[in-house]
Amino acid sequence: MDLRSEPTGEVTLEMTRESMRSFGYRVIDSIVNQMSGLREQSVVNVATRDETEALFREDAPEEGTELGALMREFEEKVAPRQSHVDHPRMFAFIPGAGTFVGAMGDALASGYNIYAGTWIESSAAHQIEMVVIDWFRSWLGMPDTAGGTLLSGGSVANLTALVLAREARLGSEFTEGMIYTSEHAHSSVDRGARILGFRSDQVRKVAVDSDLKIDLGALRGAVEEDRSAGRIPFCMVANAGSTTTGTIDPLPQLAGFCAENRLWLHVDGAYGGFAALDERGRRLLEGIERADSVSLDPHKWLYTPFEAGCILVRDAKFLLDTFRVYPDYLIDVAGGPDHPNFSDQGIQLSRSCRALKIWMTVKHFGLARIRAVIGRTMDLAAYGQELIERVPVAEIVSPVSLSVVTFRFVPEGVSDEDTIERFNKQILRRVWESGRAMLSSSRVGGKYVIRLCVVNHNTRKADVEEVVDLMASLARELTP
Ligand SMILES: Cc1ncc(COP(=O)(O)O)c(C=O)c1O
């Protein structure tokens, strides 16, 4: 197939309908083959830098490449060198698995080149984003005053929350402001604080209890100590599903404490927030509705492709108060409160339409089905824990919370932490090398742990059985 885009007459980048159509069909075929054949592929595919340099390093070409050849280059050189974060046996980090519907939502947003910054340039996209945000608000049980905006992901959502908290509670004088969180907070909290000009000693890591939840007594003590030293406590970042262990901090108590102490309560629900769709998840997340702001990541547990993050704010007006500016060259886009501009409510002016893929995903599959899938992934993590417990040398370090369990293998008679760590690293490396599954590691209370996190909508019981069997046989084989 020849997919050339020939310049004719005056030079433009225009393509014929026929070549656009053929190229588009070719791309769709490739995506469908990839998605439908995923289970049979290796989960982990990592190339060395030498290999990728040799494959891709070149000067930008003066002359164009025919699209069929470009597509072959993608399929032969790019596609095989991707680890599949959407593979059903991807249990590492927080897996992200979009659906075909979401991918096509992105294709439409991109193909129609929707500019989701201003109402006049995308009224319907703005309305859809407001609708989607309102769904999220109601799923979490936040009040009608709440609003929000879609972002690239949880990191930017946490950064945005810190900006809001700083503006709302401190204004421009923030050199003594104090942020509280636990050692299990996502690193984007530290990074966000740094970006905003806070020193590292302005982010205080409060001790956790034996369930890895923030210790309220320790928090109270830290706040009092800081106040008496002239510092200004202003923000608490709580976990609603910490990255390593899925821990949910005691949200109702934190909400009460923060209200009493005038702290902005931000809840990082980037991983765990959408568990609220499940009855059990909703109970576990009780209190999230009292937060001043919440981070959510539709590209995690709401099954949309990257990138899709969200910040929800209890009082939506804080977004406008914090971010709106009026340059002269944007006089034409002011539409009044009924016709808001999302570019007035966040860091970005030009924005892609992230709402479309979320809206299409939820509308196509329906909430009942998505809710059932979220519940099933929680069940599968619990099943994983049960299976791991049956492995003689396995030790559960933190039991399932939401859909993460952490554990390690401790060979009989071995108590030296370094030896245990090396043993578990070996097992993990061998799992990766097998290509059959991917898990990741972290530390809990100083112990090296392996994590199993189930999020993927296509993961089945047999996948969980396969990965636990694999680890059990590696533990046997590698036992010193
Ligand atoms: C709890 C939590 N917060 C924030 C983030 C950052 O999200 P993103 O990778 O979408 O920026 C993550 C990512 O895994 C997370 O687990």
Side-chain angles (χ1 to χ4, degrees):
M1 183 194 330
D2 186 8
L3 295 175
R4 228 170 276 273
S5 63
E6 288 290 354
T8 48
E10 290 172 73
V11 177
T12 70
L13 300 181
E14 210 170 312
M15 291 171 68
T16 63
R17 274 171 176 253
E18 192 38 50
S19 56
M20 283 196 277
R21 206 163 261 131
S22 321
F23 181 49
Y25 290 159
R26 179 81 176 75
V27 169
I28 295 291
D29 278 344
S30 182
I31 295 173
V32 170
N33 290 341
Q34 163 61 20
M35 282 194 169
S36 58
L38 200 48
R39 190 178 284 282
E40 283 68 51
Q41 295 178 28
S42 169
V43 184
V44 187
N45 305 288
V46 186
T48 63
R49 178 63 187 269
D50 283 348
E51 196 185 336
T52 54
E53 282 287 335
L55 282 168
F56 299 109
R57 177 69 57 196
E58 62 179 336
D59 292 334
E62 245 346 282
E63 300 302 325
T65 308
E66 185 267 326
L67 286 166
L70 208 50
M71 206 48 210
R72 278 192 297 284
E73 205 172 345
F74 172 80
E75 286 178 328
E76 285 162 18
K77 295 182 6 185
V78 182
R81 290 170 184 84
Q82 303 301 321
S83 293
H84 299 301
V85 294
D86 50 351
H87 193 290
R89 285 188 300 282
M90 170 72 179
F91 303 110
F93 316 113
I94 310 288
T99 66
F100 186 73
V101 175
M104 293 303 100
D106 251 353
L108 287 169
S110 205
Y112 279 74
N113 205 22
I114 297 174
Y115 179 94
T118 65
W119 183 275
I120 58 162
E121 281 155 302
S122 59
S123 318
H126 269 63
Q127 184 65 46
I128 288 173
E129 184 157 341
M130 291 195 289
V131 167
V132 164
I133 297 278
D134 210 44
W135 289 345
F136 295 172
R137 178 197 66 71
S138 72
W139 297 347
L140 297 191
M142 291 178 87
D144 292 345
T145 53
T149 185
L150 296 177
L151 304 161
S152 57
S155 302
V156 174
N158 285 343
L159 170 68
T160 305
L162 292 177
V163 180
L164 293 168
R166 189 189 67 185
E167 288 293 304
R169 294 287 192 269
L170 298 177
S172 52
E173 254 323 306
F174 57 87
T175 49
E176 296 307 325
M178 293 298 295
I179 299 165
Y180 302 84
T181 190
S182 91
E183 65 186 88
H184 294 280
H186 190 264
S187 56
S188 55
V189 176
D190 287 323
R191 185 191 284 157
R194 193 195 300 165
I195 292 168
L196 295 178
F198 290 102
R199 299 178 311 273
S200 60
D201 62 278
Q202 290 178 276
V203 183
R204 194 155 168 172
K205 301 286 164 61
V206 179
V208 293
D209 61 19
S210 55
D211 291 330
L212 310 176
K213 295 171 192 273
I214 213 151
D215 181 322
L216 289 159
L219 174 64
R220 192 173 290 281
V223 166
E224 281 167 11
E225 186 186 306
D226 285 333
R227 266 216 185 102
S228 23
R231 295 185 277 265
I232 309 170
F234 79 99
C235 179
M236 166 78 221
V237 180
N239 291 303
S242 64
T243 313
T244 291
T245 55
T247 303
I248 301 167
D249 285 324
L251 302 178
Q253 291 84 342
L254 284 174
F257 178 83
C258 289
E260 272 166 39
N261 287 278
R262 239 190 129 254
L263 298 189
W264 178 282
L265 174 60
H266 174 64
V267 176
D268 182 355
Y271 154 52
F274 289 114
L277 283 171
D278 173 87
E279 196 45 48
R280 279 163 303 171
R282 185 72 200 90
R283 279 198 300 274
L284 292 169
L285 292 171
E286 196 201 322
I288 198 169
E289 70 285 351
R290 294 167 65 188
D292 292 297
S293 55
V294 179
S295 294
L296 294 171
D297 254 356
H299 65 208
K300 293 188 166 72
W301 231 346
L302 200 64
Y303 304 120
T304 62
F306 301 113
E307 301 169 347
C310 174
I311 181 87
L312 285 181
V313 188
R314 181 175 195 75
D315 187 343
K317 86 173 174 45
F318 280 120
L319 282 169
L320 282 174
D321 290 353
T322 303
F323 290 107
R324 188 168 46 189
V325 285
Y326 292 108
D328 289 345
Y329 48 80
L330 290 180
I331 291 168
D332 307 324
V333 308
D338 284 340
H339 301 98
N341 297 317
F342 274 105
S343 58
D344 288 335
Q345 300 177 48
I347 298 164
Q348 283 180 275
L349 173 58
S350 301
R351 309 165 76 235
S352 64
C353 178
R354 300 186 175 102
L356 195 60
K357 60 187 165 189
I358 302 173
W359 183 71
M360 290 179 84
T361 302
V362 175
K363 276 177 75 82
H364 171 69
F365 292 105
L367 262 197
R369 199 157 154 200
I370 294 173
R371 189 181 293 121
V373 170
I374 291 174
R376 204 171 57 79
T377 52
M378 291 168 78
D379 293 341
L380 284 173
Y383 180 56
Q385 176 175 332
E386 251 176 63
L387 297 177
I388 294 162
E389 278 166 342
R390 284 188 221 150
V391 179
V393 292
E395 174 189 299
I396 300 293
V397 177
S398 65
V400 165
S401 182
L402 293 173
S403 67
V404 194
V405 54
T406 72
F407 55 95
R408 61 188 195 159
F409 300 99
V410 184
E412 227 175 273
V414 176
S415 58
D416 171 57
E417 282 297 325
D418 289 343
T419 314
I420 296 172
E421 178 163 337
R422 270 198 307 278
F423 182 64
N424 282 273
K425 279 184 170 162
Q426 255 183 317
I427 294 175
L428 196 61
R429 187 172 52 81
R430 289 282 297 273
V431 172
W432 286 28
E433 281 169 6
S434 77
R436 284 161 61 193
M438 190 170 181
L439 298 101
S440 56
S441 62
S442 185
R443 283 185 209 284
V444 176
K447 289 180 177 173
Y448 177 88
V449 295
I450 302 180
R451 299 167 62 259
L452 176 95
C453 180
V454 190
V455 170
N456 190 294
H457 45 88
N458 288 331
T459 300
R460 296 172 192 277
K461 269 178 107 169
D463 295 308
V464 177
E465 288 162 2
E466 180 171 338
V467 70
V468 178
D469 282 350
L470 176 62
M471 287 189 292
S473 68
L474 287 168
R476 271 193 306 277
E477 183 192 323
L478 296 167
T479 294

